[in-house]
Amino acid sequence: MAKQIPFALITGCSSGIGKQLAITFADRGVTVLATARHVKHLEDLTSQHDNIEAFPLDLSSPSSIETLKDAIVTRTGGRLDFLVNNAGTHYAATALDLEVEEAVKLFQVNVFAVMRLCQLFVPLLRRSQCGRIVQIGSVTRDVPVVWQSAYNASKAALSQYTKTIRLELKPFNVEVIEVVTGFVRSNILHHGLFAPDDSLYLPIKSTIEAIKYEGNKNGMPAENYAASVVDKVMRQRVDSEIWQGSLSWYIYFIVTFLPLYLLNWLLFRKSNLRLLNESLAR
């Protein structure tokens, strides 16, 4: 009996990590079902790779997620080998300045849509000989990065959800892998930092911007990140967590072996938060 060509459904493939994941899976002989809000943004992928197919998906729309499920069932005959939840959005605001409505939108894309995708596609993954869910997470699940509290919280929620569903799906032979991502070059910061004109944190805004853009500039190239991640998730045996991206293992060491007060001290100094104490003392 001929071996079946595997299918990988990947969200958020229009650019950055998602685009490179699609290319890398395709280069490994996988049929990639790539999604983006607008399929015209996937024309570069589909025109250059016969085994990459485009599907529309708006993660902020529950009906769009349901429609995607029907389309994938029709295309694959009801089987899926990899569900790669890569798509996500970013929102850079402090806890005091964030707009709750924007935080709700953030959680819809980064958390709730992922939950629904898992619900809908686990039946397809169970029909695979080795169904795997790959969650593209972030080191911010463990690191309280200043000026992005809601984003950090969404990645922490995704991580705990991933740990739980990993246990719940174990009896059904569906593996769940979390990729804990460090710095990778991408356009995720294109919205910049939000702060109202009367924000208490304006004295350190330039410092935070420099940290974020320097980290992005010095991050791992997305193609290198994707190559390493795909190689690992396609192995016969795979770890439950994959730490990948610039500084990811350095951060792993810090959050695993150092006390929390020391991590907080490092971040306080790095973020120049002492300037706020000085401004209040004037």
Side-chain angles (χ1 to χ4, degrees), residues 92-251:
T94 68
L96 294 186
D97 293 332
L98 67 81
E99 296 178 353
V100 173
E101 295 82 2
E102 291 300 318
V104 170
K105 294 177 184 177
L106 178 84
F107 268 75
Q108 171 58 39
V109 173
N110 290 3
V111 182
F112 303 135
V114 172
M115 292 178 174
R116 188 59 182 144
L117 285 164
C118 289
Q119 286 182 328
L120 291 175
F121 287 103
V122 161
L124 282 70
L125 291 163
R126 291 183 62 189
R127 297 189 184 103
S128 169
Q129 294 179 349
C130 184
R132 288 175 175 171
I133 297 172
V134 181
Q135 314 276 51
I136 304 300
S138 170
V139 296
T140 61
R141 70 174 202 180
D142 296 315
V143 181
V145 177
V146 172
W147 216 295
Q148 57 178 47
S149 58
Y151 179 80
N152 300 344
S154 75
K155 290 303 180 180
L158 175 67
S159 180
Q160 191 58 248
Y161 168 77
T162 298
K163 291 179 174 68
T164 306
I165 195 174
R166 179 183 298 131
L167 287 174
E168 293 176 347
L169 292 181
K170 192 174 180 62
F172 306 112
N173 296 318
V174 175
E175 296 183 88
V176 183
I177 303 143
E178 181 179 3
V179 184
V180 189
T181 305
F183 286 110
V184 178
R185 295 176 201 167
S186 71
N187 64 352
I188 196 170
L189 300 175
H190 68 281
H191 291 304
L193 274 64
F194 170 79
D197 293 338
D198 59 350
S199 173
L200 297 172
Y201 297 91
L202 291 178
I204 65 167
K205 185 179 181 183
S206 61
T207 298
I208 303 302
E209 286 176 332
I211 291 171
K212 290 184 181 297
Y213 289 110
E214 180 183 358
N216 191 56
K217 177 182 176 181
N218 296 326
M220 176 181 284
E223 56 269 28
N224 295 355
Y225 170 92
S228 180
V229 168
V230 172
D231 283 344
K232 290 173 181 175
V233 302
M234 289 191 69
R235 291 174 183 170
Q236 185 173 1
R237 299 188 59 150
V238 62
D239 293 333
S240 297
E241 288 189 358
I242 298 171
W243 289 68
Q244 193 64 56
S246 294
L247 299 180
S248 59
W249 280 102
Y250 170 75
I251 295 170

Side-chain angles (χ1 to χ4, degrees), residues 39-75:
V39 293
K40 66 181 180 180
H41 296 155
L42 301 174
E43 290 176 357
D44 183 45
L45 288 175
T46 56
S47 64
Q48 297 184 43
H49 301 268
D50 292 337
N51 56 339
I52 298 181
E53 304 171 21
F55 293 83
L57 174 63
D58 179 356
L59 290 175
S60 65
S61 168
S63 63
S64 177
I65 298 173
E66 303 286 338
T67 299
L68 174 70
K69 186 254 186 178
D70 294 337
I72 298 302
V73 168
T74 299
R75 171 61 184 89

Side-chain angles (χ1 to χ4, degrees), residues 203-204 206-208 211 266-278:
I204 65 167
S206 61
T207 298
I208 303 302
I211 291 171
L266 290 170
L267 291 171
F268 188 89
R269 287 180 58 85
K270 181 74 172 176
S271 302
N272 224 7
L273 283 161
R274 67 181 183 278
L275 285 180
L276 304 184
N277 289 338
E278 295 171 2

Side-chain angles (χ1 to χ4, degrees), residues 5-17:
I5 296 175
F7 288 104
L9 173 60
I10 308 175
T11 64
C13 297
S14 60
S15 64
I17 288 173

